[in-house]
Amino acid sequence: MSLSGDKRRIQTAVLGGAESDDPLLLPLEAIELEAFRRRHAEDTFWCGLLLGGCGERLTTKLYTDRVCHFAHLPDPTGLHVCERRARDVTSADHLYAKAAATAWLRDQGHQGTVCLREPLGSVVDIAFEHQARGLRLHLDDAVAPGWDDETVEPVLGVSVPVDDRTLVRRLYVHRIRLESRGTARDVRIGTEAFARPTQWFALQECSITEQGLRTPAVGQITAARRAPRTAHTGPRPTTAGAPSTAARAKALLRRLADGRKLGSVVVVTGVVEEVRSLGPLDPPTRAQVHQALQHIDQWFAAQAQARRDLFTRLDHAVREQYTDRVRRLLLLTNATAAHERTALEDATAAGATEHLLAAAALDRAVPRPAPTGEAVLARQRVERLLANLEGRRTMMTAEMCGLVDRLVREAATAGDALGPGDRALVQRWVARAEAGSNQAAARAAAQHRLVRGAPTAQEKVSRRSWIARPCSRCGAEAGQHCQRAEARGAGRRHVRPHDERLQPILDERRARERQGTCPKCGRPPVKRATP
């Protein structure tokens, strides 16, 4: 489906870039949109990846006979497809909740982290540095609350159901809702108890204690529970005992699954020790625990092999003096393999650090040549061509390819004088030109390949091929996108898959080519019958 046929209205976007987590809500009325445009005249709007979007630029659409909304900029090729599902005013609530929680932590004087969890848009986790128990915001019912999980306290969205038995057992539960205020969404926290209406408060009225999240209503509810009751002659109700061993085992198995998804060997090891220390279990629970521990043993073996491969690649990159690769692999080892290192692993990491320090010192010692006058002039011509292309997105394909042809030549002349933002725009326009079928598009694509070099692994393998396989680098399972492992942005979705996920597919294709079969499907060539 091309974008021109997509009639769903986009009400939310992010500011500044495709990977931004700064959300924005578009006014629905035309008179409000005019003021909105003046206020954000210098800003850019994007169909953000954290919104489940495609990462492309958005523009605002003003209407007087219907609601105003965001829309993708027109694609001259008509090939662009945005698979974003949530587009209404609530589609960015997870980003608003994250921003509000971050500000709340700062105002409360707490050190902690706020992160988004899969499925994107449904769950937000808040962890505190000096408290073992954090908060888990369930914005919808896509993920069931873990009432027996000792590491997080569930906070339910208004659409997430809770049964009366849970309310009586827990005494109360907290809820979260977001209310529109201009182009933002305000967070409200509610406390619900059995046979009591939910009381709502601003986030600033709430606090975090050793017992968990506290609102002004918690004191009233607990005081009413402690108040003496009228004596009666009937039998006294039995009090609920501590969680059973089976319930604790199920909670630990859920934590075990979460640790595997995060790829944290430290977390999984700690949970496994707790599982092994459980007392006697009933036969069904014992079978579940036994099966889970078998899978964990296999997972540990795979993680150990991936760790050995990682340090081997790091050592090879240091010996071959591949500085960029050393920097990337060292970040990955520090993020995923910083615990219980062997002497050999410590030596490899220390050698990588020394290599980067030496490379940085050499880079500072050797001054970079200033761009020549011709490069500066070429950069200015590139900027004018980009402005022309951005302002004329409805031009004919042949005219667009001619401009892109000039753009590639000028970008090659500008060289290092061209900034990374302009380089990204040049590559985007070249990709659009490559989608055309006329001679100008083919010439622009050929020139771009000369500048860019051979196609990358991401360009050789389609999404439907790599999404069906797991990733050995970040631990993403089949059907999931790769996750960032670097310290900055860890846990966020990668725009492209890791090379470790693509290389096995390319190796299989080369092996099929050597066998004389189709590289993609593995079938032998079909021979036509001779007449």
Side-chain angles (χ1 to χ4, degrees), residues 203 205 208 250 262 512 527:
L203 186 57
E205 300 179 73
I208 192 71
K250 292 179 180 179
L262 292 174
R512 289 169 181 167
K527 297 182 179 180

Side-chain angles (χ1 to χ4, degrees), residues 434 448-450 452-461 499 506:
E434 287 178 339
H448 176 60
R449 282 192 291 271
L450 289 175
R452 187 183 57 187
T456 62
Q458 288 87 355
E459 295 169 330
K460 294 180 180 179
V461 182
D499 290 342
L506 297 176

Side-chain angles (χ1 to χ4, degrees), residues 328-394:
R328 184 174 68 253
L329 292 174
L330 184 60
L331 284 173
L332 185 58
T333 55
N334 289 336
T336 62
H339 60 284
E340 298 181 358
R341 287 181 177 175
T342 64
L344 181 60
E345 290 174 344
D346 276 333
T348 302
T353 303
E354 293 177 1
H355 171 80
L356 292 180
L357 291 175
L362 181 63
D363 190 57
R364 289 192 298 267
V366 179
R368 293 181 179 273
T372 63
E374 181 59 29
V376 173
L377 293 176
R379 181 189 63 191
Q380 295 173 356
R381 290 192 290 268
V382 167
E383 293 172 350
R384 286 196 296 269
L385 285 169
L386 287 174
N388 189 6
L389 286 165
E390 293 288 336
R392 302 173 59 193
R393 289 178 176 252
T394 57

Side-chain angles (χ1 to χ4, degrees), residues 398-446:
E399 183 181 5
M400 178 193 69
C401 291
L403 290 173
V404 171
D405 189 14
R406 291 174 50 198
L407 182 66
V408 171
R409 292 198 300 269
E410 297 294 350
T413 304
D416 293 338
L418 201 61
D422 288 337
R423 287 183 182 278
L425 288 176
V426 170
Q427 292 181 2
R428 184 177 302 173
W429 278 107
V430 169
R432 288 173 179 165
E434 287 178 339
S437 59
N438 53 59
Q439 185 178 3
R443 186 167 58 253

Side-chain angles (χ1 to χ4, degrees), residues 36 38 55 64 77-78 118 130 205 274 278 312 320 330 333 511:
F36 174 88
R38 290 193 296 270
T64 56
T77 65
E118 294 288 348
H130 301 296
E205 300 179 73
E274 294 186 54
L278 289 172
T312 300
E320 297 295 332
L330 184 60
T333 55

